[in-house]
Amino acid sequence: MREQKFSDIEVEETSEFEDAEFEEEGVSRRSRPWLLPLLLGTTLGIAIAFGGIHLLANRSAGQQNPVAKPAASTGASMTVTVAPVETTRVARTLNTTGTITARDLIPVLPLTNGLQVKQVLVKEGDSVKQGQVLAILDDSILQDQIRQARADVESKQANVGSQEAQLASKQADVATSQATVASNQAIVQQRQADLAQAKARLEEGTQNLRSYQQLSNAGAISKQELLTRTTTVATATQAVRLAEANIRSAEENVKSAQAGVISAQANVNIAQANINSAQAAVKSSNAQVQQFKTQQGQTAVRSPVSGLIAEKLVRVGDMAGTPPQAAQNGMQNGTNNSASQRLFSIINDGRLELQALVPETQLAQVKIDASVQITSEQDNRVRLQGQVREIQPVINQQRREATVKIDLPQTNLLKPGMFARAVITTNTAVGMAAPQKAVLPQPDGSASVFILSGEDRVRAVKVEVGEILIGGRVEIKKGVKVGDRLVVDGAGYIKDGDKVRVVNKQ
């Protein structure tokens, strides 16, 4: 193919050369119509001859040396472009593979269990915002519970009113008992005054009796008068005793009234405790109403974060908290039954990572924050730039591999579970680079380039190729030196020792 292309080029160059000769001689083709067929036939014959010569020369050279070809001057110069070998920084890389996974998979759990799923508003792969409603649960059971709780509140509030009425009655009893105590205390005071008066009379009667006794002894008065005074003292003595008895009775009444006050106050305390209990029951019922209302508000299942729906584990009609298909998936996949509690799984912020496997012997080459190029054999559009975020500390004992977690840019080309390839940059070094078009692969698997010697001769040299670089360049490890001018355009149509015409000198 190379020889055929070369022959075509020579035909074009010969044609141009003939046209130039005609123009220089000032001869018009239209004035000589018989000359054109002759010239075309002659040109074609020359091209075929040159092609045969080149083919034989290449076959002979291939048997002796796949790179160096014997020089054969054709008399015409191939037009080529050249580029110098330059120094560049070459990244050393490590090739590996792995699986695309979610960087942070957030489970969405029902805040209220035991309710039937009424609506499911999203599907797997949907993009959702934080707070967006994902599903709606049936709240009819909660509405019944709220009505019952409110009725219970009203009943307990009525009980509080009854207890408050009883408290008022008991407080009135306390006031009555306290009034009785005060009345009896006043009677005690009155009896004490009566006792003092009776004692005064007794004292007065006793003194008079002494005086009359002396007079009676002297015969100044009659015995009748003495007897009258004696009776008066006896009567006063009885009056004192009666007054003392009245005082004791009044004091007992005071004590009894005070006991009544204590009993009435105890009844007040009991009534107050009943009120407190009834009020607590009202608060408890109100709290239950609020709880049911809160649960009613939680029947709208909302997304806790923004991201992508990775799993939808619930269907309309399922009971929230135990979706049957989730439990079945858990048994089939061998996962934990706790997955059956999830309604959805969300890839937080849609961020993915590549979990690449690196052999233990090469793990020391991988550094945190190292640049990684991600590609996929299934989708040639996937050509992403990632970054090493984490190297898991535990190495798999069976495979002797470590998991390297690589952050990925946001894209819709990748999905969790996909297989991908990763080229991890391990370090950079100074090397030589040349345009990739200048490097020609050889049948034996080697590569060669054409170095421009002087101004118009080329020399074929074997080279050792390294990394593919950006900008259509390739690393060259051996065979050339910095500054060598390599043939780029036209390299596939020349051979060792050919004379060329350089249209750009770089």
Side-chain angles (χ1 to χ4, degrees):
M1 176 61 75
R2 183 180 301 175
E3 288 78 2
Q4 181 62 39
K5 292 181 178 179
F6 182 76
S7 300
D8 295 341
I9 294 172
E10 286 186 327
V11 171
E12 293 176 0
E13 290 180 350
T14 305
S15 299
E16 292 176 359
F17 178 75
E18 294 294 341
D19 290 343
E21 286 184 343
F22 275 105
E23 290 175 0
E24 289 175 359
E25 293 176 1
V27 179
S28 174
R29 296 178 186 177
R30 287 174 298 188
S31 63
R32 299 180 182 180
W34 53 270
L35 186 58
L36 180 58
L38 179 61
L39 289 175
L40 289 175
T42 303
T43 303
L44 181 59
I46 293 172
I48 293 173
F50 275 124
I53 293 172
H54 289 168
L55 179 61
L56 293 174
N58 287 338
R59 287 179 178 176
S60 176
Q63 294 173 355
Q64 297 176 1
N65 191 335
V67 176
K69 303 175 182 179
S73 176
T74 63
S77 298
M78 178 66 186
T79 300
V80 299
T81 63
V82 298
V85 177
E86 300 175 335
T87 59
T88 187
R89 296 197 67 84
V90 181
R92 304 301 178 194
T93 59
L94 173 65
N95 295 323
T96 183
T97 60
T99 303
I100 303 297
T101 62
R103 177 174 175 178
D104 188 12
L105 194 63
I106 305 298
V108 179
L109 305 177
L111 298 178
T112 300
N113 290 328
L115 298 181
Q116 192 174 41
V117 178
K118 188 176 181 180
Q119 288 180 284
V120 178
L121 305 178
V122 294
K123 61 182 181 298
E124 291 181 357
D126 284 355
S127 177
V128 296
K129 299 293 184 181
Q130 183 177 8
Q132 180 177 335
V133 178
L134 308 180
I136 297 177
L137 308 181
D138 190 354
D139 65 347
S140 57
I141 296 177
L142 289 175
Q143 290 178 357
D144 291 339
Q145 291 175 332
I146 289 173
R147 284 192 290 269
Q148 292 176 3
R150 283 176 173 170
D152 190 45
V153 168
E154 293 176 358
S155 173
K156 291 178 179 178
Q157 285 177 338
N159 185 36
V160 170
S162 174
Q163 296 296 332
E164 287 176 344
Q166 291 183 12
L167 175 62
S169 175
K170 301 303 179 184
Q171 288 174 337
D173 291 343
V174 169
T176 300
S177 297
Q178 289 175 341
T180 302
V181 169
S183 175
N184 289 333
Q185 287 175 340
I187 293 173
V188 168
Q189 292 176 354
Q190 180 62 41
R191 295 292 185 265
Q192 288 175 343
D194 292 343
L195 175 61
Q197 186 176 6
K199 286 181 176 181
R201 288 174 182 160
L202 176 60
E203 180 65 25
E204 181 182 2
T206 302
Q207 291 178 358
N208 289 336
L209 178 59
R210 292 193 191 102
S211 298
Y212 277 90
Q213 184 67 45
Q214 292 175 358
L215 291 175
S216 175
N217 293 335
I221 59 174
S222 64
K223 291 183 179 182
Q224 184 63 37
E225 290 182 354
L226 178 61
L227 180 60
T228 299
R229 299 301 177 188
T230 301
T231 302
T232 301
V233 169
T235 301
T237 301
Q238 290 297 327
V240 168
R241 291 174 179 172
L242 179 60
E244 289 176 345
N246 290 337
I247 289 175
R248 287 192 294 271
S249 176
E251 287 177 344
E252 289 296 330
N253 291 336
V254 168
K255 291 179 180 180
S256 177
Q258 288 175 339
V261 170
I262 294 173
S263 176
Q265 187 61 51
N267 292 333
V268 168
N269 295 338
I270 292 173
Q272 186 63 55
N274 291 337
I275 289 176
N276 294 338
S277 177
Q279 289 176 339
V282 170
K283 290 182 179 179
S284 176
S285 296
N286 279 325
Q288 194 171 29
V289 170
Q290 293 302 320
Q291 179 183 358
F292 290 144
K293 285 185 176 180
T294 301
Q295 291 177 347
Q296 188 178 32
Q298 293 170 347
T299 54
V301 180
R302 300 181 181 275
S303 174
V305 295
S306 298
L308 296 176
I309 300 295
E311 295 177 301
K312 181 180 74 69
L313 306 173
V314 64
R315 298 173 301 181
V316 173
D318 288 343
M319 299 302 291
T322 54
Q325 71 275 23
Q328 183 177 1
N329 291 339
M331 290 186 292
Q332 292 177 351
N333 300 331
T335 57
N336 194 315
N337 288 334
S338 62
S340 64
Q341 299 298 319
R342 299 197 310 267
L343 302 182
F344 305 92
S345 293
I346 298 178
I347 302 174
N348 189 9
D349 202 25
R351 299 298 300 273
L352 300 175
E353 68 181 12
L354 174 63
Q355 294 189 0
L357 300 177
V358 177
E360 179 185 1
T361 55
Q362 297 177 307
L363 190 60
Q365 303 177 32
V366 182
K367 306 298 180 184
I368 299 297
D369 296 331
S371 177
V372 184
Q373 187 175 17
I374 311 298
T375 58
S376 172
E377 294 180 348
Q378 306 301 323
D379 190 347
N380 55 14
R381 296 176 300 169
V382 176
R383 195 172 186 85
L384 306 173
Q385 199 70 24
Q387 191 175 40
V388 176
R389 185 185 83 252
E390 178 185 347
I391 301 174
Q392 287 192 344
V394 179
I395 295 177
N396 185 283
Q397 295 182 358
Q398 285 73 31
R399 300 191 306 268
R400 295 298 177 185
E401 292 175 331
T403 300
V404 176
K405 294 184 177 181
I406 301 169
D407 279 343
L408 301 176
Q410 290 190 349
T411 177
N412 57 1
L413 298 178
L414 299 178
K415 304 294 181 184
M418 289 178 59
F419 177 82
R421 294 190 176 275
V423 179
I424 303 174
T425 301
T426 56
N427 62 359
T428 57
V430 177
M432 296 182 295
Q436 193 170 358
K437 293 172 60 177
V439 180
L440 304 175
Q442 299 300 313
D444 61 355
S446 63
S448 65
V449 296
F450 286 103
I451 299 177
L452 183 66
S453 299
E455 296 298 326
D456 58 359
R457 292 288 178 182
V458 294
R459 176 169 54 90
V461 177
K462 278 190 174 183
V463 294
E464 181 182 346
V465 179
E467 300 288 342
I468 302 298
L469 307 177
I470 61 174
R473 301 185 304 160
V474 64
E475 177 192 9
I476 299 181
K477 294 183 176 180
K478 294 181 181 179
V480 297
K481 63 181 182 298
V482 176
D484 284 346
R485 293 175 297 169
L486 307 184
V487 176
V488 182
D489 293 327
Y493 306 105
I494 59 176
K495 61 183 181 300
D496 186 29
D498 271 359
K499 185 177 180 181
V500 297
R501 182 164 60 92
V502 180
V503 296
N504 68 322
K505 294 184 180 180
Q506 300 183 7

